[in-house]
Amino acid sequence: YTFNKLTDKFFARMKWPPVNMVETFYAEEGMESAIVMVLYKELYWRHVYARLSMQMTMSDRKLSWENYCDLMEYFLDEELSGEESNRLVLPNQWLWDMLDEFVYQFQSYHSWRLKTARQLANDRKNAEAAARKDQALGDANNEEAARQIE
């Protein structure tokens, strides 16, 4: 089975195993590696965006964005260190896909934030208008009640 076929078969409509479960597995096998987890999370979030984007929460978007920042930081640190030993070598297509997804996530995250901020501002404006209307109705009812008492 290829990676995509396994995903289609077992995770077509759900998220992959949680990161902490994968971390536990690698720890139990004595194969802990920060970059392995960052790469797993990159694939995890790519899967979520591709197949489950309507189920994403703000927390998901934030975690995904933070992982891409971690990934880019790792590659920049590795490049700036100048060390050639133990350098992670990935296929150019995968590197391009990660950079493309980083830019997409940046745009998507900030568009979502802007849309949410506008919606909150609109909701606040509507709530204030409703409160003013309720206050005006209350004032009118109080005046009517005062007239009836006289």
Side-chain angles (χ1 to χ4, degrees):
Y1 273 89
T2 66
F3 186 73
N4 289 331
K5 286 182 182 177
L6 289 171
T7 294
D8 289 341
K9 183 175 181 177
F10 297 107
F11 302 104
R13 291 185 180 87
M14 58 189 281
K15 292 179 180 178
W16 287 356
V19 172
N20 60 352
M21 181 185 288
V22 175
E23 281 177 321
T24 301
F25 169 80
Y26 274 97
E28 288 172 357
E29 297 296 317
M31 300 184 300
E32 291 179 82
S33 170
I35 190 59
V36 169
M37 294 317 307
V38 171
L39 291 171
Y40 175 78
K41 286 188 260 185
E42 191 274 336
L43 292 171
Y44 174 92
W45 289 117
R46 193 185 302 190
H47 167 71
V48 170
Y49 265 88
R51 297 176 186 232
L52 309 168
S53 62
M54 299 305 289
Q55 299 174 22
M56 290 185 73
T57 65
M58 175 59 187
S59 178
D60 288 338
R61 291 175 190 279
K62 186 174 186 297
L63 290 169
S64 176
W65 171 246
E66 288 171 353
N67 189 68
Y68 274 97
C69 290
D70 290 345
L71 189 60
M72 291 302 129
E73 184 178 330
Y74 173 84
F75 287 125
L76 288 172
D77 287 349
E78 188 175 77
E79 187 62 33
L80 294 174
S81 75
E83 292 182 29
E84 293 295 323
S85 64
N86 295 328
R87 178 169 268 184
L88 181 64
V89 178
L90 297 172
N92 288 336
Q93 184 63 47
W94 197 6
L95 292 170
W96 173 257
D97 288 346
M98 285 187 273
L99 185 58
D100 183 58
E101 190 69 16
F102 176 76
V103 172
Y104 170 76
Q105 294 245 344
F106 178 84
Q107 183 272 331
S108 176
Y109 177 72
H110 289 284
S111 293
W112 190 88
R113 277 184 47 193
L114 180 61
K115 180 181 173 184
T116 302
R118 285 181 178 161
Q119 183 63 45
L120 289 172
N122 191 38
D123 291 349
R124 186 177 306 118
K125 183 179 172 182
N126 290 340
E128 289 170 356
R132 284 192 302 274
K133 182 179 175 183
D134 289 345
Q135 180 66 39
L137 288 173
D139 290 346
N141 288 338
N142 288 341
E143 288 175 13
E144 181 63 31
R147 273 193 229 114
Q148 288 177 359
I149 292 174
E150 295 173 359

